[in-house]
Structures are given as C-alpha cells and as structure tokens.
Amino acid sequence: MEQQKNEAFELAAETDSLGPIRGWLTIWAGEVEVERRPDLLARRRAAEHTVRTRDREEPAWRAAREELLAVLDEAREAAG
C-alpha cells in the first residue's frame, strides 16, 4: 500500500493532476471498509482461499474471482 501511495504521488506530480491520488484514496478507503466490516472480510478471505487453492479452469475459481471483485466494489461504494 505504501508503494502504491508513493507511485500515486509521483504520478500526480509528473502529470500535475490529483487523479492518481484520488484513485489511491479510493483503493485505500475500500481496504479500510473491508477490514472494518466482518461480513466483507469473511467473504474476501473465503474467496482468496478458493483462488489460491483451485485451478483457474475450475468454475469455483472463476466464481471466487468474481466474488473478490464484488467485495471490493461493495466496499468502495460504501466508503463513498
């Protein structure tokens, strides 16, 4: 996360734009929201486990990947 922050600030300085910093803040706020909410954290952990332990060709792997994206979307939306 620290590296992403540093990259966002470097890119913002290079492009004279706050866009990269806003993007990083959106990601960071989503991560905080996941950690704050036990329901999202449990869903993420279960999906991450499936992604790590299943073959990419399995439907369960693809479903877990979609679940990870859904968790992040929900968290970022809730974080506003």
Side-chain angles (χ1 to χ4, degrees), residues 13-60:
E14 290 171 10
T15 61
D16 198 28
S17 168
L18 292 176
I21 295 171
R22 286 188 188 115
W24 176 78
L25 286 172
T26 299
I27 292 168
W28 182 80
E31 289 299 316
V32 169
E33 187 68 15
V34 168
E35 293 294 326
R36 191 182 74 74
R37 288 184 42 193
D39 62 315
L40 290 179
L41 186 58
R43 286 172 53 200
R44 179 168 73 178
R45 286 183 177 162
E48 286 174 338
H49 174 75
T50 300
V51 166
R52 282 193 312 270
T53 59
R54 298 291 180 104
D55 187 83
R56 286 180 175 227
E57 302 304 316
E58 293 182 52

Side-chain angles (χ1 to χ4, degrees), residues 1-22:
M1 189 61 94
E2 185 72 21
Q3 180 180 350
Q4 289 175 335
K5 178 191 67 118
N6 292 339
E7 290 170 359
F9 275 81
E10 280 181 32
L11 186 57
E14 290 171 10
T15 61
D16 198 28
S17 168
L18 292 176
I21 295 171
R22 286 188 188 115

